[in-house]
Amino acid sequence: LREQIDQRIRIETELRQTNVFLDSIIENIPDMVFIKEASELRFVRFNRAGEELIGHKREDLLGKNDYSFFPKSEADFFVGKDRNTLAGGVLLEIAEESIHTNKKGVHILHTKKIPILDAHGKPAYLLGISEDITERIQSEKQLREFSLAMENALDGIARMDPQKKILSVNNAFAAMMGYA
């Protein structure tokens, strides 16, 4: 009997240590990580990065669904993608989706949704991982605008490296030099 008790204590200790380890990983992932139960799509897990991004404490999120925090059209989109993921049984990647945050305005996310299946192969949970790509999208837009402005400038513009090797030119510069 003592041996069975000791074994049970070891198993429970290992289980607690494993949970602490996994909790630490989820909490330290820099992207938003959330888990919803499959039937009602209510949040059961949310990491710190997610709290900071959407501006709600996890205590307020847990047990609720998207309709509690987001505009109806946005919540409809999220829930539709969740249902598609669960029905398809495979990872769904959403390259860009908008989300209204509580304190930071609208942000753009790159999201992956993954069904977590039970022992019988049925969806039990939905795992979501969302990277905030707002700054990257804005930078790409600014770069496109700058490139367009440079290309259409009336003055000749050339970009050179420190050794004076030409890296790129606009149409006006090429025309000044007699090239197409």
Side-chain angles (χ1 to χ4, degrees):
L1 181 64
R2 181 65 187 158
E3 190 174 308
Q4 289 176 336
I5 293 172
D6 288 345
Q7 183 178 3
R8 183 178 178 111
I9 290 171
R10 274 194 302 277
I11 291 170
E12 288 175 359
T13 300
E14 287 176 20
L15 184 59
R16 274 194 300 279
Q17 289 172 341
T18 299
N19 282 334
V20 168
F21 175 69
L22 292 175
D23 286 345
S24 178
I25 290 172
I26 290 171
E27 279 304 302
N28 288 293
I29 292 174
D31 296 330
M32 177 170 64
V33 176
F34 58 90
I35 300 172
K36 298 176 182 179
E37 52 81 21
S39 61
E40 300 289 321
L41 295 174
R42 296 187 185 281
F43 293 105
V44 295
R45 191 74 187 256
F46 224 89
N47 73 343
R48 181 175 31 250
E51 281 182 308
E52 291 171 8
L53 174 65
I54 67 168
H56 291 285
K57 294 186 182 294
R58 74 185 80 193
E59 300 83 40
D60 298 334
L61 293 161
L62 299 180
K64 296 185 177 131
N65 62 29
D66 291 309
Y67 293 99
S68 301
F69 302 97
F70 303 110
K72 183 180 181 325
S73 62
E74 204 167 90
D76 286 343
F77 176 82
F78 297 151
V79 168
K81 294 297 184 185
D82 293 347
R83 292 284 174 220
N84 289 344
T85 302
L86 294 169
V90 295
L91 177 137
L92 175 71
E93 188 164 356
I94 305 160
E96 291 183 22
E97 64 179 348
S98 297
I99 186 170
H100 284 79
T101 66
N102 192 31
K103 298 175 183 170
K104 297 180 180 181
V106 176
H107 277 245
I108 302 168
L109 306 179
H110 174 205
T111 300
K112 295 177 183 175
K113 294 186 175 192
I114 304 141
I116 306 298
L117 307 178
D118 65 15
H120 305 290
K122 304 248 188 258
Y125 297 96
L126 176 97
L127 168 64
I129 303 169
S130 297
E131 176 187 8
D132 186 352
I133 59 170
T134 307
E135 287 182 23
R136 186 185 87 206
I137 297 295
Q138 290 170 344
S139 295
E140 289 171 354
K141 180 182 177 199
Q142 288 174 343
L143 183 58
R144 282 190 304 274
E145 290 170 355
F146 174 75
S147 294
L148 187 60
M150 180 182 153
E151 193 57 39
N152 292 316
L154 297 176
D155 293 327
I157 301 172
R159 192 171 62 92
M160 298 181 186
D161 69 11
Q163 290 76 35
K164 306 270 189 231
K165 180 180 174 188
I166 295 175
L167 300 174
S168 63
V169 300
N170 69 349
N171 288 334
F173 185 89
M176 286 174 25
M177 296 298 154
Y179 294 101

